[in-house]
Amino acid sequence: MTESTLQPVKTLTGRGVAVRGNDIDTDRIIPARFMKVVTFDGLEKHVFEDVRFDQDGNPTDHPFNREEYQGASILIVNKNFGCGSSREHAPQALMRWGIRGIIGESFAEIFFGNCVSLGVPCVTLPADQILYLMELVESDPSVGIEIDLEAPAVRVPARNQEWVAELPDGARKRFLKGTWDALAVLLDSGELIEATAQRIPYLNDFATAS
Amino acid sequence: MGKSLLQKVWDLHTVRTLESGQTQLFIGLHLIHEVTSPQAFQMLRERNLSVRFPQRTFATVDHIIPTHSIQRPFEDSLAEAMMEALEENVQETGVTFFAPGSGKQGIVHVIGPENGLTQPGMTIACGDSHTSTHGAFGAIAFGIGTSQVRDVLATQTLSMTPLKVRRIEVNGELQPGVTAKDVILYIIAELGVNGGVGYGYEYAGDVFDRFSMEERMTVCNMSIEGGARVGYVNPDETTFEYLRGRPYAPSGDAWDRAVSFWKSIASDADADYDDVVQFNAEDIEPMVTWGITPGQAIPVTGNVPRPEDASGEERANIELALQHMKLEPGQPIAGTRIDVAFIGSCTNSRISDLRAAAEVAKKGQVAPHVRALVVPGSEQVEAQAKAEGLDEIFRAAGFDWREPGCSMCLAMNPDKLVGDELCASSSNRNFIGRQGSPTGRTVLMSPQAVAAAALAGEITDVRNVL
């Protein structure tokens, strides 16, 4: 992907899929044994692997296996989703499976930041609204869910429902301005990086040979 | 009102405030390893970008490296491919690589400090969540994802949201047999696994003042298990003495200039904190986990919780944990039979950890049904342990003595649990599947407690052995 293809992320609409549970860590999202790779290609095949397949390799009734959730793009989760390892492989696996936005009670910080870098917004709603949305997509997998980052809000247009959502302002602006991938902005800082390096004592006054 | 170390270091490294309101933060030290860097180097190639400050990035190999033999090519072709990618990437970009056999290879969070790369007042980033370890030196150190590894390689900067600071004081005197690992397991159990989200943790008080650098590293290492991306201890004489004479530490006149800077970046006495929490050292006992998050920890003398004593989602969390761990509600955790004992990881694989575990190992033999292994954190730790005869003590007691690496902490190499084996582990995560088997079970504890469990064949109060 190059800078020129970066698009603002303002509104996402899609079908939802709920994965219940607090503290779902990135080892559970993508077990470490699938990280013995030098690209991110194909990680979607192993997303939630250890709960999607039983010990004999047969698919379980995990939502990511079920026919009615294929093509879903809005993931709904509970508390502290994405805790643990900093592996970007976790959001990469979710994104490559088809997830474009995540609604949860709360997110772990490194996971949240990795999602920003990939253009996948994570927004939060209170617990009772998350429970409502989970029950809704479990009873009606075809219902459309909208994440609006300008408001910011989560909506169920078919039911005329809307809730105020939260996400940190810095991340929100990066989505809206199309600078969610920070690299272009960071590169565009002229001589400021060198100027900063020149005032840091350990890089100058007592720098050690490397 | 004064400033905290975090605020001072943040200000010093601020390149500019971005349009998003985030800070473009200069990264003084970038550490990389084979798992989270190959895609970052590939992204640079695709954009035709070079590494901006190659002298500020250092590489090691730790996650995938076998611990029984480092002969090339590795038996696991996937591991070999990752190793080769790292070798190509460092060669192409001029990044210093501490290769196996160099005497400097090891777990990334062990080698940074022991080579003197990690210093007070730095910003340190690495594609690994346990980068918080380096905060023990009074650095602001945090884990990043692969896209951010790319950002650091290309610009030596990151786009970051400023953190709040919570000061955590532990005052008083620890009881005999209570270690740094117990202190951090206690703190996480008290504040919760997501209590630290949005915060940097500043650890302070009598206990931290007395702690060695290795003990401080153990605590800072697990900050992320409490949700805090950053954890640090203000630098003091203990910090300076540790750094003196290390390969990348300043020397001569430069040393004095360095110490002067290091002292200047410590938190002011009247620093402004967003939150302050205080604990009594006397309240902390040797801790063990009983569940599937590091916050599910109790004193080793305690009983596993009963779901019926909790309500709502907490009850569901307990039920799920007990189901995975195959433990009975209300049972004493001591006496639980173990299958595997693992001493190692970026939390507890340093020389003081191995010395403490060896003191226990001297007192008996590994129980016949237990598979026990000791994995030193680095080649330097390994050499020092051998010089002290610790390897012989462990072998004589029936432990397997291995080559350095991350090993069974996350099982990206051949060291894995099998089936529902239960492992007494000195590592940092008891997540479901973490140690390589989807049904494997992990009980976190200090390295000396792991040694005690290995001898007893079950979870036991290490104070009975000391």
Side-chain angles (χ1 to χ4, degrees), chain A residues 1-3 21-23 25-28 31-40 50 55 79-80 83-89 92 105-110 113-114 117-118 127 168-171 173-174 177 179 181-194 196-197 199-203 205-210, chain B residues 11-16 18-20 22 24 26 28 35 38-39 43 47 49 52-53 55-56 58 64 76 78 81-82 85 119 121-123 127-129 143-148 150-151 154-155 157-159 163 193-194 197-198 224 227 229 248-250 254 257-258 261-262 292-293 313 317 410 412 429 431-432 434 438-439:
Chain A
M1 190 173 298
T2 62
E3 290 87 275
N22 293 325
D23 307 315
D25 58 79
T26 53
D27 275 85
R28 264 198 271 175
R33 62 186 185 277
F34 301 113
M35 297 205 303
K36 285 197 274 188
V37 288
V38 294
T39 73
F40 291 124
D50 289 343
Q55 280 166 281
K79 276 196 187 117
N80 201 27
C83 60
S85 161
S86 61
R87 60 189 69 166
E88 188 172 304
H89 305 65
Q92 287 275 359
E105 286 178 62
S106 65
F107 297 92
E109 205 164 313
I110 301 177
N114 286 339
S117 294
L118 300 181
D169 201 47
K173 285 183 177 151
R174 279 168 64 181
K177 290 175 190 300
T179 57
D181 182 337
L183 184 54
V185 170
L186 295 176
L187 284 167
D188 185 28
S189 49
E191 297 304 306
L192 285 175
I193 295 175
E194 273 70 20
T196 306
R199 68 160 194 260
I200 294 176
Y202 61 83
L203 298 178
D205 303 348
F206 54 90
T208 48
S210 53
Chain B
D11 292 348
L12 177 65
H13 293 80
T14 294
V15 175
R16 59 176 174 152
L18 299 168
E19 214 182 338
S20 63
Q22 291 189 307
Q24 182 169 5
F26 190 90
V35 179
Q39 298 90 345
M43 291 184 226
R47 296 192 190 199
L49 292 167
R52 186 97 167 230
F53 289 77
Q55 72 280 17
R56 297 310 303 163
F58 293 82
I64 54 93
D76 178 347
L78 297 173
M82 296 179 82
Q119 295 173 15
M122 285 182 167
T123 46
D128 192 288
S129 62
I144 55 177
T146 296
S147 293
Q148 291 178 304
R150 173 207 61 187
D151 293 348
T155 71
T157 67
L158 286 168
S159 178
L163 292 165
V193 288
N194 59 356
V197 172
I224 186 64
R229 196 173 191 179
Y248 287 89
R257 290 195 294 278
F261 166 67
W262 295 343
I292 55 174
T293 76
E313 64 180 35
N317 290 347
L410 86 168
M412 284 191 74
R429 288 186 174 139
F431 297 155
I432 293 174
R434 172 76 177 181
T439 53

Side-chain angles (χ1 to χ4, degrees), chain A residues 1 6-9 116-120 174-175 178-182:
Chain A
M1 190 173 298
L6 278 188
Q7 293 295 324
V9 178
V116 174
S117 294
L118 300 181
V120 176
R174 279 168 64 181
F175 286 118
T179 57
W180 39 270
D181 182 337

Side-chain angles (χ1 to χ4, degrees), chain B residues 197-238:
Chain B
V197 172
Y199 285 94
Y201 279 173
E202 174 176 302
Y203 300 103
D206 304 336
V207 165
F208 288 95
D209 290 344
R210 280 188 222 111
F211 267 169
S212 69
M213 288 314 298
E214 297 194 350
E215 290 171 310
R216 294 176 188 181
M217 284 187 246
T218 296
V219 173
C220 290
N221 172 275
M222 288 188 69
S223 301
I224 186 64
E225 313 310 337
R229 196 173 191 179
V230 160
Y232 68 89
V233 178
N234 280 299
D236 60 8
E237 291 302 324
T238 304

